[in-house]
Amino acid sequence: MNSPDSPEAPAPSCSAKGCRDAAVWVLAWNNPKLHTPERRKTWLACEEHREHLSQFLGVRGFLKDVVKLDEWVQPEGSERL
């Protein structure tokens, strides 16, 4: 348990530019020109920005999965959140 003097880890926030709302979604992605097929990088999204960020990654062919933050399991060899 944290004492009043110890800082708690900040809650994960949305990756959308300028947004600091709480993250609800994990957008797992991979740039096939740069990453091995099993590697997953992640962006976090609030409810408001999930669709926009998903579309941005999707039109580039990068989006691999969209999962609720509380259900996300980090694959082996992927970047940390």
Side-chain angles (χ1 to χ4, degrees):
M1 186 162 130
N2 289 339
S3 71
D5 296 329
S6 66
E8 291 187 31
S13 61
C14 183
S15 298
K17 186 176 181 178
C19 183
R20 299 287 45 120
D21 288 348
V24 179
W25 297 94
V26 175
L27 285 65
W29 62 278
N30 171 301
N31 181 339
K33 292 182 180 178
L34 302 176
H35 308 123
T36 58
E38 66 280 352
R39 183 163 180 204
R40 294 295 180 266
K41 295 185 62 97
T42 55
W43 282 357
L44 302 178
C46 64
E47 286 292 347
E48 181 181 350
H49 292 112
R50 181 185 62 89
E51 187 62 33
H52 171 75
L53 293 173
S54 294
Q55 286 179 356
F56 180 89
L57 293 168
V59 298
R60 290 158 178 80
F62 294 174
L63 186 63
K64 301 300 179 191
D65 206 2
V66 178
V67 180
K68 286 281 227 179
L69 179 60
D70 60 359
E71 297 173 6
W72 174 248
V73 177
Q74 188 75 32
E76 186 70 30
S78 294
E79 283 206 2
R80 294 178 47 187
L81 290 176

